Amino acid sequence: MSRTTSRTALLAAIGLITATGATATVMASTAGAAAAGCRVDYQVTNQWNTGFGANVTVTNTGDPLSSWTLEWSYANGQQVTQGWNATLTQSGAAVSARNVSYNGGLTTGGSTSFGFNGSHTGTNAVPATFTLNGVVCNGATQPPTTPPTTPPTTPPTTPPPAGSKADNPYAGAKVYVNPEWSAKAAAEPGGSKVSGQPTGVWLDRTAAIAGVNGGMGLRDHLDEALAQKGSGELVVQLVIYNLPGRDCAALASNGELGPSEIDRYKTEYIDPIAAILADPRYAGLRIVTTVEIDSLPNLVTNVSGRPTATANCDVMKANGNYIKGVGYALNKLGSIGNVYNYVDAGHHGWLGWDDNFGASAELFKAAAQAEGSTLARVHGFIVNTANYSALKEDHFTIDGSVNGVSVRQSKWVDWNRYTDELSYAQAMRSKLVSLGFDTNLGMLIDTSRNGWGGAARPTAPGALTDVNAYVNGGRYDRRIHLGNWCNQSGAGLGERPQAAPAAGIDAYVWMKPPGESDGASKEVPNDEGKGFDRMCDPTYTGNARNGNSMSGALGDAPLSGKWFSAQFQELLKNAHPAL
């Protein structure tokens, strides 16, 4: 069962003792040499049957350092399995953590943090001794010559003033690494290459707030985020995903709440989340919420009058509960000073057509002003969440043509205004700003599964014999049809998460954790409200939403959100940039 613990190693001047507390003070000095010393806070942040997660904060109390290596030994056979923000190696019981390129410099009083997952066999004692750059930490901090007579005027960590937010929460910040996803990734062959990457935490049903089947709940994740944070800034990414009648045009991602249960959504789901996020304990975190993936765009594309209409989407448009639910979530969560709301804006292969694009932007504005919310409650938008649309197509543009026939007329583009997610995100941002959203509006692009690398990745434009050969031969996105969305065969990991990668883009993110299924390839009885969608069946020949094409889905897939090893291995193999 998952639990959060905090243990601290304190090494005093005379002897060595193990204690619990908030900090571990470890000082060292050598006669006749420049002062060397450190303070180490070693915390076990999460522990389960045979594994654990830990966070280590190193503070340099000696002369400035340009690089550092922290070393310790385990007494109970613990093994480090993978880590982040440091290069960790282990030989027998001895562990070495060496700085990486961006955190080697430590001024006097400066600190840095790193974390790791490990295994244990029942006993998991805190290491007794640490050394910094080869010097045993065995001294004691000396008090100042003149002890202060009054406490500091501000606490060591001061929450940001109410209403003050970073323009881009990702700038200058680390991003939370979910230890549950990280452990699954690290257990896969080759998975350690990406298991230290940050991914979104999906709150896809009410039970997820407290934790499902012994897994981490929201408070567990936030407490772990505090441990990973150290002295810098840290972003936690949450997916708010439980609208009544959720995702009305699909079945694999249907949720627990019926179409009319808007009051339950508010009181049983959003209100408890807001209460936790508003806890002053978490005021120092930058909490990014991505609000209600996939639902709002259905009110534009899948209602009466459209060839892809469904009765369920007509119901949700008529009762207004998507609009009410999103507005309520934005207002309730956005009123918390350190929460940054990003609303889902579909992807270019869904909303990029003329009759979808503007109508969707207007709908987003309406939702942002519902239930007491305002446009100011929206910090930005996210596109391509849990989807596969290529970030940037280099071998053709929307303005190109072959023998006088426009690229827009190709079967693949099919009169869309955009060829990729970057151009779509930037255009949607401009449209939303023109409708009154903040001029500093930021966009996120989910690049977790849109790399499309490997042997099938084109290296040049297609043949100029006709426009279809040109586009199909050069496109990175190798799906059979843009409408295919479930466990796509041949997909690869995309750009690694990074801040401010392009104009108007706050970050590339991995909001969908790679390796988690989009839906079961056959009917699987479950208590999560998830149905069987034929778009997840590799034998399905399609419908109007995907041009009556094959689904392109991988076989033997589990329920949405469950670990899908075969998919994860494909994503590793086809990653672009390559691992």
Side-chain angles (χ1 to χ4, degrees):
M1 179 176 176
S2 174
R3 58 193 174 94
T4 301
T5 62
S6 175
R7 300 187 64 188
T8 306
L10 177 66
L11 293 99
I14 305 299
L16 300 177
I17 61 173
T18 300
T20 58
T23 51
T25 302
V26 187
M27 293 294 296
S29 60
T30 54
C38 67
R39 188 165 64 247
V40 175
D41 183 6
Y42 180 107
Q43 294 182 317
V44 176
T45 56
N46 192 33
Q47 186 162 305
W48 55 98
N49 291 342
T50 59
F52 69 99
N55 190 78
V56 181
T57 299
V58 183
T59 301
N60 176 34
T61 57
D63 289 346
L65 300 174
S66 59
S67 63
W68 54 266
T69 299
L70 188 73
E71 296 175 298
W72 68 89
S73 292
Y74 281 122
N76 309 113
Q78 298 99 316
Q79 291 289 317
V80 172
T81 55
Q82 58 92 31
W84 48 92
N85 294 334
T87 300
L88 287 105
T89 57
Q90 184 168 357
S91 176
V95 181
S96 174
R98 187 175 69 254
N99 68 271
V100 289
S101 60
Y102 52 81
N103 65 359
L106 283 179
T107 60
T108 302
S111 62
T112 189
S113 296
F114 61 91
F116 59 91
N117 289 331
S119 63
H120 66 86
T121 57
T123 303
N124 189 23
V126 169
T129 305
F130 294 87
T131 63
L132 180 68
N133 288 359
V135 178
V136 177
C137 298
N138 59 358
T141 305
Q142 297 299 315
T145 304
T146 305
T149 58
T150 58
T153 56
T154 59
T157 301
T158 305
S164 67
K165 289 185 176 179
D167 174 53
N168 179 356
Y170 291 85
K174 297 182 293 187
V175 187
Y176 174 61
V177 176
N178 179 349
E180 292 185 312
W181 175 83
S182 182
K184 292 175 184 175
E188 292 278 346
S192 61
K193 295 178 181 178
V194 298
S195 57
Q197 292 291 350
T199 53
V201 174
W202 286 62
L203 302 174
D204 60 354
R205 47 181 160 151
T206 301
I209 301 170
V212 179
N213 297 326
M216 296 173 71
L218 178 55
R219 280 195 180 275
D220 296 319
H221 284 294
L222 295 176
D223 289 340
E224 168 67 10
L226 289 175
Q228 291 184 22
K229 180 178 183 295
S231 59
E233 299 290 348
L234 185 134
V235 172
V236 181
Q237 302 174 126
L238 305 177
V239 179
I240 307 301
Y241 188 49
N242 199 31
L243 274 178
R246 186 177 74 191
D247 206 1
C248 57
L251 296 174
S253 51
N254 289 166
E256 64 184 352
L257 300 178
S260 63
E261 294 186 291
I262 186 65
D263 291 336
R264 289 189 62 196
Y265 175 77
K266 293 177 179 179
T267 61
E268 297 178 20
Y269 179 70
I270 293 298
D271 288 355
I273 291 174
I276 294 172
L277 299 188
D279 188 331
R281 172 178 172 81
Y282 307 122
L285 298 172
R286 295 178 179 180
I287 301 173
V288 164
T289 58
T290 55
V291 178
E292 293 299 348
I293 307 307
D294 284 348
S295 289
L296 282 177
N298 280 296
L299 302 185
V300 173
T301 62
N302 295 316
V303 293
S304 292
R306 295 300 185 94
T308 56
T310 72
N312 289 340
C313 290
D314 281 340
V315 168
M316 298 316 301
K317 183 175 183 179
N319 67 25
N321 283 342
Y322 281 1
I323 299 290
K324 295 173 189 175
V326 170
Y328 187 85
L330 292 174
N331 190 38
K332 194 81 175 181
L333 302 175
S335 65
I336 303 167
N338 58 315
V339 170
Y340 299 75
N341 284 324
Y342 289 79
V343 179
D344 180 65
H347 56 91
H348 90 277
W350 188 356
L351 303 181
W353 283 270
D354 294 339
D355 52 355
N356 295 344
F357 186 85
S360 296
E362 295 281 0
L363 181 69
F364 300 152
K365 180 179 179 180
Q369 295 177 310
E371 297 290 305
S373 183
T374 66
L375 301 187
R377 296 287 196 226
V378 178
H379 200 81
F381 286 77
I382 182 169
V383 302
N384 203 46
T385 309
N387 210 267
Y388 299 85
S389 295
L391 177 66
K392 180 73 171 69
E393 292 285 8
D394 294 322
H395 298 318
F396 60 96
T397 69
I398 203 65
D399 299 319
S401 63
V402 176
N403 300 326
V405 180
S406 168
V407 160
R408 291 190 69 202
Q409 293 176 256
S410 67
K411 186 176 180 180
W412 173 255
V413 178
D414 192 25
W415 295 102
N416 203 307
R417 284 285 180 190
Y418 306 97
T419 60
D420 50 42
E421 284 307 291
L422 182 57
S423 61
Y424 168 74
Q426 291 170 327
M428 180 58 79
R429 179 187 180 278
S430 296
K431 178 66 176 178
L432 292 164
V433 169
S434 76
L435 294 179
F437 283 92
D438 195 293
T439 55
N440 291 323
L441 196 72
M443 305 296 287
L444 305 178
I445 302 177
D446 188 349
T447 59
S448 59
R449 303 183 302 178
N450 71 346
W452 294 106
R457 184 177 178 86
T459 58
L464 294 174
T465 51
D466 63 68
V467 72
N468 285 317
Y470 175 67
V471 170
N472 287 332
R475 60 183 170 92
Y476 297 139
D477 188 335
R478 306 312 299 172
R479 284 178 292 178
I480 299 169
H481 188 276
L482 267 175
N484 289 351
W485 53 267
C486 193
N487 300 325
Q488 290 299 283
S489 177
L493 300 170
E495 289 284 348
R496 314 309 179 248
Q498 56 186 287
I505 309 300
D506 280 353
Y508 296 153
V509 297
W510 282 9
M511 203 58 66
K512 172 71 172 182
E516 292 188 0
S517 175
D518 295 318
S521 51
K522 59 184 178 182
E523 190 165 2
V524 177
N526 66 94
D527 61 357
E528 301 178 30
K530 296 172 181 177
F532 170 47
D533 196 304
R534 289 298 304 281
M535 288 296 290
C536 300
D537 177 357
T539 69
Y540 186 47
T541 56
N543 55 46
R545 294 187 197 94
N546 79 332
N548 295 297
S549 303
M550 297 296 292
S551 69
L554 293 169
D556 299 320
L559 283 174
S560 60
K562 306 300 183 184
W563 189 255
F564 189 8
S565 178
Q567 184 198 53
F568 186 76
Q569 288 300 319
E570 278 217 3
L571 294 174
L572 292 177
K573 180 180 68 174
N574 297 322
H576 186 86
L579 298 175

